[in-house]
Amino acid sequence: MTEPRRQRPVGRSLFEPHPERLAPDHPRRDAILAAHRAAIVAGEPGYLDPDTGLFVITAAEHVRRGSCCANDCRHCPYR
């Protein structure tokens, strides 16, 4: 099995998800972004989503992995 080719993240902050992945008017946006930021600052690979309770991978973890997994992740830095 070959390693996936490393990709370059798009030119936006790792703290700002693509608007199609987290709408600017989402009712829990502030809580979601706070949880995401706290996970990045703590060096954690993800956080428990305050909206759904599911584990969400941070943009920083995606960059560490080096490529898009094509799962439509909320914080994908490659989109």
Side-chain angles (χ1 to χ4, degrees), residues 12 16-26 29 74 76 79:
R12 75 173 173 277
E16 186 60 34
H18 191 283
E20 290 179 9
R21 302 291 171 87
L22 183 63
D25 61 349
H26 188 286
R29 181 180 173 86
R74 175 183 286 157
C76 183
R79 174 148 192 200

Side-chain angles (χ1 to χ4, degrees), residues 44-67:
E44 298 293 329
Y47 63 95
L48 292 180
D49 187 319
D51 193 37
T52 65
L54 298 174
F55 185 78
V56 178
I57 296 173
T58 67
E61 178 65 10
H62 283 285
V63 170
R64 187 193 68 72
R65 289 179 176 189
S67 63

